Amino acid sequence: MKKDDCIFCKIANGEFNTEFILETDKIVAFRDINPQAPEHILIVPKEHFENIVSIDDKELFCELLEGIKKVTEKIGLKEFRTVINTGKQAGQTVFHTHIHILGGKELKPTFD
Ligand code: DGP
């Protein structure tokens, strides 16, 4: 289901002609607007789920994880970090779940 006021619903469903690095029936991947590393890509389900724990579709889970492999292979990124923020306290700002892929530079181990 699509949520009318959700920016990632709009992007994932092609409303802004965003360049997709990957698109399947269920997911898309596109570059983060505010990159924190030379490569910063978001993997996003087309269907609206507020966060990763609200997903109730096992196939979608698999596709999101497979998306990590497909996207990084496609852009030739062999070393990278994946991040999934869940909830405001954890730094989630867009409440349509997404996986961050960050790479292309040495990343500090930060868990603060
Ligand atoms: P998070 O803090 O985990 O909810 O990450 C949200 C990310 O989404 C943040 O890194 C910035 C990115 N973002 C927000 N709005 C847009 C947008 O309109 N386009 C793109 N490409 N990225 C966006």
Side-chain angles (χ1 to χ4, degrees), residues 24-98:
T24 72
D25 284 351
K26 288 180 182 256
I27 65 166
V28 295
F30 53 88
R31 291 203 153 74
D32 195 289
I33 203 169
N34 183 23
Q36 303 300 308
E39 292 290 5
H40 188 167
I41 292 157
L42 304 171
I43 303 177
V44 176
K46 288 183 177 176
E47 194 175 338
H48 184 86
F49 290 97
E50 183 171 320
N51 55 45
I52 196 75
V53 292
S54 62
I55 296 178
D56 55 6
D57 174 348
K58 281 188 186 168
E59 267 183 43
L60 177 57
F61 258 125
C62 288
E63 237 181 278
L64 286 165
L65 292 179
E66 228 184 352
I68 298 171
K69 183 175 160 66
K70 285 184 180 168
V71 164
T72 53
E73 279 180 1
K74 192 162 182 184
I75 65 167
L77 194 61
K78 290 195 167 59
E79 300 184 57
F80 55 88
R81 176 175 293 160
T82 49
V83 174
I84 306 172
N85 294 321
T86 304
K88 199 170 164 215
Q89 194 176 25
Q92 187 176 5
T93 58
V94 177
F95 293 87
H96 176 133
T97 197
H98 48 280

